[in-house]
Amino acid sequence: MSATAAPTAAPRPTLAGGFTLGPWDTVPMGALAVGCLVAVAAAIALSGFDLNVNRLILAVCFGLLVPFLLHQSRHFGLLSPGLLLGLSFIYFNLIIPLEAEVNTGLPASFYAIMPWVDRAHLTRPLVATLFGAVGLLVGYGLGVAPHKGRSQTYWELPGDPERLRRGGWVLVGVGGAMYFAGITMATGSPIGFYTVSYLERVELMPSVGVLGNGLALLYVGAMIVVAGYFGDQACPRRLPAFCLVVAFGLHSVLAGAKVHIFIVGAAALAAHQLCRHRAQQLRASTLGPMAAVALVAGLMIAINPMRARLGLGFGEMADFAKSEFDPQFLNPANVDAQGPYATLYAVANDTVLVGPEYGQSYWNAILHLPPGWLLPDRWPGLHDRFADKMLEANAPSVAGFAFSAVAEGYLNFGFLGSALHLAVLGWLAGAASRVLRVNRGNLRGVIVAAFAGPWLAMAIRMNSDTAVRETVAFMLVPLLVNDWLSTPRGREARPPAPPEGLGPAAGGPGLTGDAAALPPG
């Protein structure tokens, strides 16, 4: 009888190019250091004697974040949670000051909101942004670091793709019924929101009441469905999910809200790309995903000018957008970055005083979880209070600014607060990436990552009371409940026995098929 060698444990994955630094082996420390040096050297070469503090901070920020984004795309795939969070951070916090350093006329929408802006006063917002970038990377490193615990064991369980998709469709049905019932109560017609102006629609939304939360259930259900179809190679039917994405695109255009198509479209694209990465199809054609990205981006650009003709029909809206087209609309800084950056600029320079908060905005986020009639005297949201101060007498009753996460952290605890706020978001992105890595053998990790990525990207432009109420209470909870209900347990959850002669070393406990062949990252 021949002796059989005992299976040996697989080596711990190291993602930092050979450096093992505890939890930091999940963030490319060497690449970040080199990136900073290269970016600063490039800034000096391009600026010469005109190098100022703003350009130096911009160089350091890009030097930190670009290697991180490349690392994310390599190890977790395009549109992974960390990559989307990093891209969103760059877009909402660095694009406007970068363009202002090149030409003050480029971020035209930002200067239209705040015409008194002085380039010299961009320094404090940039310092807060640098603290936020460091916090994001530190938080991500802690969140994605491997560890053993009950949560890790839970995510190693296999999932049932059909149960996941069916649960998503149930949420779509319940959320859609609630949302359109609320619209009918507010306007007398289930399509009433599509026949009024943008401002009238925004003012009508509070009258929908608790039924308006159906939109959040509709979001999470749609994201589960599109991720469940586009993220599963074994699923031959993707037409229903495609139709759902198209429906959200039409809803975005007719309702004048870019967020709808961004979130659902990004979830579908993220699931598709993560599925390819999971199956090691990195060389597959990217023509389809690139066309989808272009379509989503085109819709988001077109929605801004079309808002002026909302309620007058799609043809009138399209004609107005074509007649009013300006090349400035194609500048990314003028699509959606101006509002959040206006809050960061104003808060960091004490232009619009709504604080300091000293943690009050986070406590207010908890108070906004119950319905308004339970706590009628609670403070308004941070974005509403900022709009009241910013616009003063001209503020509509429902005015609000998309509030910068960096600005909220600064408003509470200064530069350190910016780092801490972004560290929490970075930790969440890292945790979602860890779920994707642990559960890379089936669809559950892809759905969690496809949900987390777009919403963490939105959290960069969202104050905490809105994020906690909408994202956590009405979206994350239904997502996790659906995941729990669709996860087999007991005997049903046991993986099939490996072939004789192949021990756990062949793929590790709980990994079978393609999962066993995947690289550790």
Side-chain angles (χ1 to χ4, degrees):
M1 181 176 179
S2 60
T4 303
T8 57
R12 185 184 182 189
T14 300
L15 305 182
F19 295 99
T20 302
L21 302 170
W24 308 116
D25 65 359
T26 52
V27 174
M29 302 295 290
L32 300 188
V34 173
C36 284
L37 292 176
V38 170
V40 170
I44 293 173
L46 293 173
S47 301
F49 294 104
D50 195 29
L51 181 66
N52 54 36
V53 176
N54 293 351
R55 295 182 180 182
L56 185 62
I57 297 174
L58 283 167
V60 173
C61 287
F62 278 102
L64 287 172
L65 292 169
V66 171
F68 172 72
L69 298 181
L70 294 175
H71 167 270
Q72 288 296 295
S73 65
R74 177 186 175 189
H75 290 285
F76 293 100
L78 293 174
L79 302 182
S80 60
L83 189 141
L84 277 174
L85 178 64
L87 286 175
S88 179
F89 184 89
I90 289 174
Y91 176 72
F92 287 108
N93 297 292
L94 294 174
I95 289 296
I96 284 179
L98 176 65
E99 290 194 0
E101 282 296 321
V102 175
N103 182 347
T104 55
L106 285 176
S109 296
F110 174 63
Y111 282 97
I113 296 175
M114 310 186 79
W116 62 85
V117 167
D118 184 354
R119 282 173 58 193
H121 290 97
L122 292 174
T123 302
R124 289 183 67 84
L126 281 171
V127 173
T129 300
L130 177 58
F131 271 82
V134 173
L136 186 155
L137 295 174
V138 170
Y140 182 88
L142 294 173
V144 77
H147 74 276
K148 278 295 178 184
R150 295 185 64 182
S151 63
Q152 188 90 344
T153 304
Y154 170 77
W155 287 112
E156 287 173 350
L157 293 172
D160 186 331
E162 281 302 320
R163 290 187 193 177
L164 286 165
R165 286 190 283 266
R166 283 199 298 266
W169 281 116
V170 169
L171 289 171
V172 168
V174 173
M178 289 176 60
Y179 181 57
F180 286 102
I183 293 176
T184 304
M185 290 175 57
T187 65
S189 168
I191 60 171
F193 274 8
Y194 305 127
T195 59
V196 296
S197 69
Y198 179 72
L199 184 57
E200 289 173 330
R201 184 184 68 81
V202 173
E203 289 177 337
L204 281 169
M205 194 63 193
S207 64
V208 174
V210 70
L211 293 175
N213 296 324
L215 183 59
L217 294 179
L218 189 56
Y219 271 146
V220 69
M223 295 173 81
I224 291 172
V225 168
V226 298
Y229 281 96
F230 287 105
D232 186 4
Q233 278 193 312
C235 180
R237 308 180 311 275
R238 293 183 177 176
L239 182 61
F242 180 78
C243 292
L244 199 57
V245 174
V246 171
F248 266 87
L250 291 174
H251 175 71
S252 284
V253 172
L254 295 175
K258 299 183 289 290
V259 64
H260 305 298
I261 184 57
F262 169 76
I263 289 175
V264 177
L269 289 168
H272 179 267
Q273 293 299 303
L274 293 171
C275 176
R276 281 180 51 205
H277 189 268
R278 183 177 53 140
Q280 296 179 297
Q281 294 180 339
L282 301 182
R283 296 184 180 179
S285 172
T286 58
L287 182 61
M290 288 177 63
V293 170
L295 177 61
V296 172
L299 279 175
M300 293 179 66
I301 291 172
I303 284 170
N304 276 348
M306 292 170 73
R307 282 178 176 175
R309 290 293 185 272
L310 279 182
L312 300 180
F314 186 79
E316 177 71 20
M317 293 162 62
D319 291 341
F320 180 79
K322 286 188 288 186
S323 63
E324 297 295 319
F325 176 79
D326 190 308
Q328 283 280 9
F329 294 154
L330 300 178
N331 181 356
N334 294 326
V335 176
D336 199 44
Q338 64 275 11
Y341 200 79
T343 65
L344 175 57
Y345 179 92
V347 166
N349 289 296
D350 297 330
T351 305
V352 179
L353 295 175
V354 290
E357 296 283 298
Y358 300 119
Q360 176 64 39
S361 74
Y362 303 124
W363 173 244
N364 201 40
I366 298 174
L367 296 180
H368 273 74
L369 282 173
W373 55 268
L374 286 177
L375 295 172
D377 297 328
R378 63 189 177 190
W379 279 18
L382 191 56
H383 58 306
D384 293 322
R385 286 186 280 134
F386 180 87
D388 290 340
K389 293 281 187 179
M390 177 80 175
L391 304 175
E392 295 179 342
N394 296 322
S397 59
V398 291
F401 276 75
F403 209 90
S404 166
V406 177
E408 182 172 7
Y410 180 88
L411 193 61
N412 280 281
F413 303 111
F415 293 123
L416 181 60
S418 296
L420 292 174
H421 192 115
L422 269 297
V424 172
L425 298 182
W427 185 89
L428 292 172
S433 298
R434 188 178 72 241
V435 169
L436 179 65
R437 184 172 62 191
V438 170
N439 205 340
R440 61 188 183 272
N442 60 59
L443 190 59
R444 290 175 63 219
V446 171
I447 287 181
V448 170
F451 172 87
W455 275 110
L456 285 170
M458 292 297 297
I460 295 292
R461 64 182 294 283
M462 192 182 293
N463 49 293
S464 57
D465 53 89
T466 303
V468 169
R469 182 181 68 251
E470 295 185 0
T471 306
V472 176
F474 299 114
M475 295 188 192
L476 183 59
V477 171
L479 173 82
L480 296 179
V481 168
N482 183 63
D483 181 87
W484 186 82
L485 291 174
S486 59
T487 303
R489 287 169 184 77
R491 293 184 179 181
E492 195 181 6
R494 294 178 184 176
E500 186 177 354
L502 296 178
L511 295 181
T512 59
D514 291 341
L518 287 173

